[in-house]
């Protein structure tokens, strides 16, 4: 995530108060690095602090941080924040944890300086106190530090809350509202999924059935509100199917959607449709050669909810086609599945629809386990990776592999996340996800 351009930072408390809103949670035992573009904040990176290891391990860690931050092409400086306890005791004596960070800071200064992003300032934040690591003036930086309440009471933190931002639980932690109680709809949805799985057998290569599946997803996406789910929430247990605008999904439709997720080609088409438009999803499926002539079987699809007319999904607009052309796909070409799934095209994805898809996948993953749940959690993990939130992506992908060990797409994306590969959209300021949207004021 990149920083909204309208926020004004007046002091270190504002910078430190912004970080939990940027990440979506309060980090611990972490290094947070923020790029600077002149006087403007750029990208935010969080990584676990290294444990153990010697000089070579620290140097490798520092180089890796620098390589991640190089994705911000306009960066000309860096701010560092060490979130760790054990800095100074009440008598002002430096603890072992604080002294152990000094060699790491020196390695980071070297690596980032060589990368053209010299460290401009650095802080340490503990459970009770925070302190500038360079300051030696007890007048402005008293020992053991300044109280963290100054961060929580900062002007920028208040402004972020006013804009609707909230700080949630760390990735993988239970989110509020995930009750471990069975819902009446769960059994109905699972029964519908089994029935639809049988009905769809033998139709996976039929173009008419493919179109019907996308029709169902397009209709479902317009029944959910993108604002009803806390960003980054990962359901830990099965729970009730959440309701959205218009009363939520009927069990028959929810079961159909879960059954369709068990078909990899349809699952991928849904992701591409949400990010790049329906035309790109259909063209990519054609390019992969998944369609056969068919045998005249009737299309299987449940009754769909009535939806308002909207440019949300059904067809790709002329602007989207222009974006695809600008991305290097050719003057008349649409982006391929690989380009979309890696965030290389379109120039800017449809973030609003992706947020709706995240909400819908969250609901569907809460209905039951198995391959459908793994597919829904994998989709959620992909969306988080597209946003540049690797910790949340990893949490969702880990849950996907618990639901269905060996689930291939989750394995592939997990490897991408572990290697620190950045989604193409997250690496470009004009395309990157903005928590409050481009029109936030």
């Amino acid at each position: 995530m990149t920083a909204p351009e309208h926020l004004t930072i007046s002091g270190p408390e504002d910078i430190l108060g912004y970080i939990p809103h940027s990440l979506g949670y309060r980090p611990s035992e972490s290094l947070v690095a923020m790029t600077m573009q002149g006087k403007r904040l750029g990208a935010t990176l969080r990584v676990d602090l290294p444990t153990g290891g010697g000089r070579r391990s620290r140097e490798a860690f520092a180089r890796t941080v620098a390589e991640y931050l190089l994705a911000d092409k306009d960066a000309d400086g860096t701010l560092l924040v060490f979130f760790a306890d054990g800095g100074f005791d009440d008598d002002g004596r430096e603890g072992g944890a604080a002294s152990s960070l000094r060699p790491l800071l020196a390695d980071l200064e070297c690596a980032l300086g060589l990368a053209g992003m010299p460290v401009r300032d650095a802080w340490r934040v503990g459970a009770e106190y925070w302190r500038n690591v360079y300051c030696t003036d007890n007048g402005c930086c008293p020992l053991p530090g300044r109280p963290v309440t100054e961060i929580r009471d900062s002007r920028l933190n208040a402004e972020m809350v006013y804009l609707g931002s909230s700080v949630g639980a760390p990735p993988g932690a239970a989110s509020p509202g995930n009750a471990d109680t069975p819902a009446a709809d769960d059994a109905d949805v699972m029964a519908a999924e089994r029935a639809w799985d049988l009905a769809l057998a033998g139709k996976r290569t039929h173009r008419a059935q493919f179109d019907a599946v996308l029709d169902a997803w397009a209709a479902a996406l317009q029944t959910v509100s993108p604002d009803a789910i806390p960003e980054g929430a990962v359901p830990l247990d099965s729970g009730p199917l959440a309701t959205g605008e218009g009363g939520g999904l009927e069990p028959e439709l929810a079961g159909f959607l879960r059954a369709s997720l068990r078909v990899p080609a349809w699952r991928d088409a849904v992701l591409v449709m949400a990010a790049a438009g329906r035309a790109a999803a259909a063209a990519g499926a054609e390019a992969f050669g998944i369609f056969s002539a068919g045998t005249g079987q009737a299309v299987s699809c449940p009754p769909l909810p009535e939806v308002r007319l909207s440019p949300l999904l059904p067809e790709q607009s002329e602007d989207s086609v222009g974006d695809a052309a600008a991305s290097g796909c050719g003057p008349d070409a649409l982006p391929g599945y690989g380009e979309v799934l890696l965030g290389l095209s379109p120039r800017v994805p449809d973030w609003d629809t992706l947020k709706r898809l995240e909400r819908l996948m969250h609901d569907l993953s809460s209905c039951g386990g198995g391959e459908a749940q793994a597919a829904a959690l994998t989709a959620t993990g992909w969306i988080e990776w597209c946003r540049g939130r690797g910790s949340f992506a990893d949490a969702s992908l880990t849950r996907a592999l618990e639901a269905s060990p060996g689930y291939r797409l989750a394995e592939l994306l997990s490897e991408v996340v572990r290697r620190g590969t950045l989604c193409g959209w997250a690496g470009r300021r004009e395309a990157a996800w903005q928590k409050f949207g481009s029109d936030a004021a």
Side-chain angles (χ1 to χ4, degrees):
M1 173 182 164
T2 56
E5 295 187 14
H6 67 279
L7 295 175
T8 301
I9 292 173
S10 58
E13 298 92 339
D14 288 334
I15 294 174
L16 301 177
Y18 169 73
I19 290 173
H21 292 279
S22 175
L23 298 176
Y25 64 98
R26 301 186 191 281
S28 62
E29 300 304 316
S30 302
L31 168 69
V32 173
M34 294 177 288
T35 58
M36 296 291 292
Q37 302 167 356
K39 295 184 178 181
R40 186 176 63 183
L41 282 179
T44 303
L45 169 72
R46 188 219 67 86
V47 291
D48 293 338
L49 284 171
T51 57
R55 178 176 58 83
R56 290 186 178 180
S57 177
R58 291 195 314 269
E59 291 174 346
F61 174 85
R63 287 194 300 270
T64 300
V65 170
E67 290 169 1
Y68 287 165
L69 296 181
L70 282 172
D72 185 349
K73 305 299 183 183
D74 299 320
D76 57 12
T78 312
L79 301 176
L80 301 178
V81 187
F82 298 91
F83 287 87
D85 290 329
F88 295 86
D89 61 25
D90 292 337
D91 295 326
R93 292 188 297 267
E94 189 175 58
S99 60
S100 68
L101 289 180
R102 294 193 178 279
L104 178 60
L105 175 60
D107 291 330
L108 287 164
E109 289 171 335
C110 180
L112 292 167
L114 290 172
M117 299 175 289
V119 177
R120 296 189 187 177
D121 218 336
W123 299 269
R124 180 187 180 84
V125 180
E128 298 181 34
Y129 301 102
W130 67 276
R131 181 180 173 85
N132 185 299
V133 300
Y134 295 119
C135 183
T136 58
D137 183 353
N138 287 340
C140 69
C141 302
L143 296 173
R146 307 186 73 88
V148 295
T149 53
E150 293 182 355
I151 298 173
R152 295 171 185 167
D153 295 339
S154 68
R155 182 200 54 77
L156 187 139
N157 182 62
E159 184 177 349
M160 297 289 282
V161 172
Y162 175 77
L163 289 171
S165 178
S166 61
V167 178
S175 57
N178 280 333
D180 188 16
T181 54
D185 279 344
D186 284 2
D188 294 337
V189 172
M190 296 300 289
E193 177 187 340
R194 290 189 291 271
W196 284 115
D197 191 49
L198 292 173
L200 294 171
K203 302 178 182 179
R204 299 184 176 193
T205 61
H206 295 183
R207 176 59 191 262
Q209 186 61 59
F210 174 89
D211 290 336
V213 167
L214 294 193
D215 286 342
W217 278 94
L221 283 167
Q222 292 205 44
T223 69
V224 297
S225 167
D227 301 318
I229 176 177
E231 287 162 353
V234 179
L236 298 184
D237 298 289
S238 294
L241 183 69
T243 58
E245 292 178 341
L249 299 181
E250 293 294 331
E252 277 296 307
L253 178 55
F256 179 84
L257 298 179
R258 281 179 57 97
S260 71
L261 286 174
R262 299 173 66 173
V263 181
W266 295 348
R267 173 206 63 202
D268 294 348
V270 170
L271 301 181
V272 171
M273 179 175 72
R278 182 160 180 166
E286 289 276 10
F288 275 119
I290 70 168
F291 301 130
S292 64
T295 58
Q297 291 177 287
V299 167
S300 298
C301 189
L304 302 182
E306 294 184 5
V307 296
R308 60 188 180 279
L309 293 177
S310 166
L312 176 66
L313 275 175
E315 296 296 338
Q316 193 175 49
S317 68
E318 293 180 4
D319 289 343
S320 298
V321 175
D323 285 347
S327 69
C329 301
D332 301 312
L334 293 167
Y337 276 28
E339 293 166 309
V340 176
L341 294 177
L342 291 175
L344 303 177
S345 185
R347 182 176 58 83
V348 180
D350 188 339
W351 288 117
D352 180 70
T353 302
L354 286 172
K355 189 172 183 181
R356 290 173 181 268
L357 181 63
E358 178 191 33
R359 163 68 195 274
L360 185 54
M361 291 296 185
H362 178 276
D363 290 352
L364 294 174
S365 70
S366 299
C367 297
E371 186 177 356
Q373 184 185 50
L377 288 166
T378 300
T380 301
W382 175 72
I383 293 170
E384 291 288 21
W385 177 71
C386 291
R387 288 172 171 158
R389 306 205 318 173
S391 297
F392 284 107
D394 182 68
S396 285
L397 295 170
T398 298
R399 287 284 294 122
L401 291 170
E402 291 172 355
S404 181
Y407 191 71
R408 186 57 178 157
L409 183 58
E411 289 183 330
L412 292 172
L413 287 174
S414 291
E415 182 63 22
V416 168
V417 172
R418 280 194 294 270
R419 290 184 177 183
T421 304
L422 193 65
C423 174
W425 296 317
R428 293 186 291 109
R429 187 176 187 87
E430 70 276 12
W433 171 67
Q434 295 284 343
K435 191 169 188 176
F436 301 107
S438 59
D439 59 349

